[in-house]
Structure formats: C-alpha cells, structure tokens
C-alpha cells in the first residue's frame, strides 16, 4: 500500500503463479510444464538468433510466425494473432472483446486469471457453476451474456468439452464473442479452430508453453475471424508493438516445423497421464478424467493442503488451490515416469 499508487492498483487482486523453487533434486509437478523439453530444432533456431541482429527491433507483426501458424491450422494469416504467452493474448482479448454491458460468463471453477483480468479492465462478470461431476454444461450458459470465456480442456479439472458441445454453445450465442482457451488441447481434446470459418464470434487461444515445451520463450496465439484479430491488434499496438523478440519468433516457427518431435512428446505425456492416473487410483485417489497434461485428484480420507505440504517435505511440489469446492483436490502435472514414481512412493509413505 502506498499513497503513490493509483486507485486501480489498490484494487487489483493479482494472479499468483505456481512457484519456481530452486531446490536440489526437486520433483516439480506444480505448473504444467513439459518434462521433455523443446524441439532441438527450436533450440537451434533460438541460438541462431543470438547474433548482431538483436540490435534491431523484431517484426512487430510477426508475419513469418503468423504465416506459419496459419498454414499449420489451415486459416489465413489475417486470422492469426500472436502474443507474449497466451496470458498476454488473453489479456488483450479481455480488453478488446469481453467488456460489454451484460456480464462476461465463465465457470466458477476455471483458470483463476480470468477474474484478475476482469478487475484490471473493469469487466463485470458472473460465474456459472460446474455440475456435480465438475463438468461444464453448455446449457447452463443460456442466459444473458455480454461474452463468454471457457478453458477447454478446463483448468484445473482437465475435463474437456467435445466440439459438438462448443457448436451448441456458439449456436446459443451467435451475437456475443466466445473465447475458447485451448492451453491444453493437444493432449487429447478436439480443437474448435475448424469452427472459426463458420462462426465470426469465435476466438480460439492456444499456447506453445505446454505441448511444445516452450513456457520460458513466451509464445501464445489466437485464431479467429479477421475482425476479432484486428481488435486484438489494435489493443496490442496501444500497449506494446513488439511483444515477441527475434528468438521467440524464430523458435516458435522451428517448433511448428518439427511435427515429429511434437507428436512424440504429446503421446509420451498422454501415456504418462494414464500411468499417473492408474497409480493415484491404486493409492486410493479419485481422479477426474483428464484430457490435459495434469490430473485433478482428491483422496477421500486426506486433506488437500496437508497432502501438498507433506509432499513438499519430500521435495515433490504439486499445486493446491484454497478455493471452495476444490480445496480437497491436488493438481498434479504429468512428469517423466521417474518423477511419477517418486510422487507415488512419496504418497505411499505419507498415506502409510
Ligand atoms: C498455462 C495456461 C495459460 C497461459 O499460458 P502461457 O504460458 O501464458 O501461454 C492460459 N490458459 C490456461 C488455462 C493455462 O493453463
């Protein structure tokens, strides 16, 4: 608190990211990073950009990257926006598209950055409860809405909606912007990108942080009608013209070109998720059906916060959220098989 702060700053409730501790031999399963590392071709492209050309500003439109993303996802470059991580893309979407007279709708349990952006941009919102199985029911969104944002798969549950459920949502709301945050879509869910051609109100947001193991590079993107993309670009050019540096643009293009590496690491994460799920169920956990690179699990006889603290004592870090309805759950990132084994043996020591 300071008398130098603006009123807005006093009223902010910032998002708290998962911690990045520096402990030796840590099993870090708290921020949904990839355990496998980026494509070697991406690393090579990034190293190549560590050159004299860094004295020059990068392409403010990231034309080469947007063109590569457009080809990959079978859309036009004018339908692609890129930003410094999908968090920045989402922030621009909130400012450009989600503030209206009627409230923005999103689930009561979802990515906890959404209400943070609402406060920052003065957006009124209403939350729509997940059902008892912790699923989004699109029929529950049939009410007055200025806009809608969903994470699909949802976070932190990992549960995905099918493309036909997204179609139903879009058909219920043809006249308001609908943002689908697909941070985890590559781990088994259906992307809504093919619906962009027929739905001018749909914006799909994805990231290279999770399935392409480039969280440290900060590259996110959105695909939607060129009219929506122009709105994002107007906000971006009123904020920071150069969100992506040369290494980020080059690394992201090279990652997209390495399809074989992408498919291989995606499949390894999916297999690791099934292995982790089996191990947790054997240890007595209830595990929600995840299509993401993490699982959301609770033990019927043990408190979530206490379990997270006990795991930390054994140098295993998972994510626990204090919010009502989910405070008994743990969100556990899919690691390597070795990391999963260390988690499971720590749990068996704790559970006795
Ligand atoms: C991780 C995550 C993001 C943000 O990822 P970036 O690293 O900023 O691209 C966005 N939405 C959800 C639901 C996430 O879990």
């Amino acid at each position: 608190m300071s008398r130098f702060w603006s009123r807005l700053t006093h009223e902010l409730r910032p998002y708290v990211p998962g911690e990045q501790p520096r402990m030796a031999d840590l099993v870090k399963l708290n921020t949904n990073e990839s355990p496998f590392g980026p494509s070697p071709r991406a690393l090579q492209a990034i190293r190549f950009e560590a050159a004299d050309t860094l004295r020059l500003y990068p392409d403010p439109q990231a034309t080469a990257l947007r063109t590569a993303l457009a080809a990959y996802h079978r859309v036009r470059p004018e339908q692609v926006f890129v930003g410094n991580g999908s968090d920045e893309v989402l922030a621009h979407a909130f400012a450009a598209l989600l503030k209206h007279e009627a409230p923005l709708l999103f689930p009561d349990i979802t990515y906890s950055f959404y209400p943070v952006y609402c406060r920052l941009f003065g957006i009124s919102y209403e939350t729509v409860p997940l059902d008892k199985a912790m699923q989004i029911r699109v029929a529950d969104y049939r009410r007055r809405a200025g806009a809608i944002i969903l994470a699909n798969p949802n976070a932190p549950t990992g549960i995905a909606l099918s493309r036909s459920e997204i179609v139903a949502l879009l058909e219920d709301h043809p006249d308001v912007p609908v943002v689908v945050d697909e941070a985890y879509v590559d781990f088994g869910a259906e992307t809504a990108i093919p619906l962009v051609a027929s739905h001018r109100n749909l914006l799909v947001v994805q990231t290279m942080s999770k399935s392409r193991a480039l969280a440290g590079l900060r590259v996110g993107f959105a695909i939607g009608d060129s009219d929506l993309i122009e709105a994002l670009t107007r906000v971006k050019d009123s904020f920071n013209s150069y969100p992506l540096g040369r290494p980020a643009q080059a690394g992201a293009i090279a990652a997209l070109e390495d399809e074989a590496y992408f498919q291989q690491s995606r499949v390894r994460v999916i297999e690791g998720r099934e292995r982790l799920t089996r191990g947790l169920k054997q240890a007595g956990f209830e595990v929600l059906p995840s299509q993401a690179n993490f699982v959301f699990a609770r033990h019927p006889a043990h408190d979530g916060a206490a379990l997270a603290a006990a795991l930390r004592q054994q140098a295993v870090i998972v994510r626990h959220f204090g919010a009502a309805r989910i405070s008994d759950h743990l969100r556990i990132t899919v690691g390597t098989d070795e990391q999963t084994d260390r988690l499971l043996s720590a749990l068996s020591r704790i559970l006795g």
Side-chain angles (χ1 to χ4, degrees):
M1 286 276 235
S2 161
R3 67 193 170 94
F4 302 121
W5 291 10
S6 68
R7 168 111 153 254
L8 171 67
T9 305
H10 277 287
E11 285 166 5
L12 295 178
R13 302 271 180 280
Y15 176 77
V16 183
E19 55 179 331
Q20 299 286 351
R22 296 181 175 274
M23 283 162 60
D25 210 22
L26 185 72
V27 178
K28 189 175 177 303
L29 304 176
N30 66 330
T31 50
N32 299 343
E33 289 145 329
S34 167
F36 299 125
S39 150
R41 282 168 64 179
L43 296 180
Q44 198 181 16
I46 292 163
R47 275 188 214 106
F48 187 78
E49 291 298 320
D52 174 68
T53 43
L54 282 177
R55 66 198 169 73
L56 302 172
Y57 283 105
D59 174 5
Q61 272 90 45
T63 311
L65 173 56
R66 285 175 40 246
T67 303
L69 282 165
Y72 190 90
H73 291 288
R74 298 168 198 280
V75 296
R76 286 177 285 110
E78 315 85 77
Q79 295 175 295
V80 182
F81 179 84
V82 296
N84 192 260
S86 61
D87 284 340
E88 185 185 77
V89 176
L90 288 166
H92 291 342
F94 273 73
L97 301 170
L98 302 186
K99 183 171 181 170
H100 297 278
E101 190 82 355
L104 170 67
L105 303 183
F106 52 80
D108 63 336
I109 298 180
T110 191
Y111 190 33
S112 47
F113 227 133
Y114 303 159
V116 174
Y117 292 134
C118 286
R119 234 173 228 276
L120 175 62
F121 298 121
I123 300 170
S124 69
Y125 68 92
E126 283 174 14
T127 59
V128 180
L130 300 183
D131 71 9
K132 284 218 181 68
M134 304 277 255
Q135 311 220 13
I136 293 170
R137 287 209 312 223
V138 296
D140 295 342
Y141 288 73
R142 285 189 199 134
R143 55 156 118 165
R144 194 168 91 92
I148 297 172
I149 182 164
L150 298 178
N152 192 41
N154 196 17
T157 64
I159 300 175
L161 291 171
S162 67
R163 190 179 293 149
S164 59
E165 287 169 298
I166 300 289
V167 170
L169 180 76
L170 290 165
E171 272 160 22
D172 286 345
H173 299 278
D175 297 320
V176 306
V178 174
V179 175
V180 181
D181 176 357
E182 295 188 345
Y184 301 103
V185 75
D186 295 323
F187 302 109
E190 294 177 295
T191 177
I193 290 174
L195 305 175
V196 161
S198 48
H199 296 84
R200 304 189 67 174
N201 58 331
L202 170 64
L203 188 78
V204 179
V205 179
Q206 293 193 5
T207 178
M208 298 215 159
S209 295
K210 276 92 184 215
S211 58
R212 295 188 188 268
L214 289 169
L217 198 64
R218 312 305 301 130
V219 182
F221 59 96
I223 293 181
D225 188 80
S226 56
D227 203 37
L228 303 185
I229 299 304
E230 187 186 339
L232 296 179
T233 307
R234 287 172 69 98
V235 169
K236 172 216 151 219
D237 286 329
S238 306
F239 179 76
N240 176 7
S241 306
Y242 306 101
L244 290 188
R246 292 169 175 273
Q249 296 187 29
I253 292 170
L256 271 183
E257 287 169 349
D258 200 348
E259 182 66 12
Y261 185 88
F262 168 66
Q263 291 299 343
Q264 178 201 311
S265 42
R266 194 172 85 79
V267 167
R268 283 174 80 190
V269 169
I270 293 169
E271 288 168 358
R273 178 180 72 214
E274 301 318 312
R275 192 168 174 278
L276 170 63
T277 302
R278 281 194 301 276
L280 288 170
K281 285 184 173 168
Q282 270 160 21
F285 281 84
E286 294 166 6
V287 186
L288 294 183
S290 172
Q291 304 290 322
N293 68 343
F294 58 85
V295 299
F296 204 47
R298 67 181 280 274
H299 196 290
H302 290 268
D303 177 67
L307 274 180
L311 282 169
R312 164 180 290 275
Q313 295 282 312
Q314 311 215 27
V316 179
I317 312 266
V318 300
R319 190 95 197 250
H320 173 259
F321 298 96
R325 282 192 87 183
I326 57 168
S327 61
D328 54 348
H329 281 74
L330 298 177
R331 193 196 67 189
I332 308 171
T333 303
V334 177
T336 60
D337 285 354
E338 191 198 336
Q339 290 175 315
T340 295
D341 290 344
R342 280 194 45 198
L343 165 83
L344 293 172
S345 53
L347 279 174
S348 82
R349 281 192 292 276
I350 293 162
L351 300 173

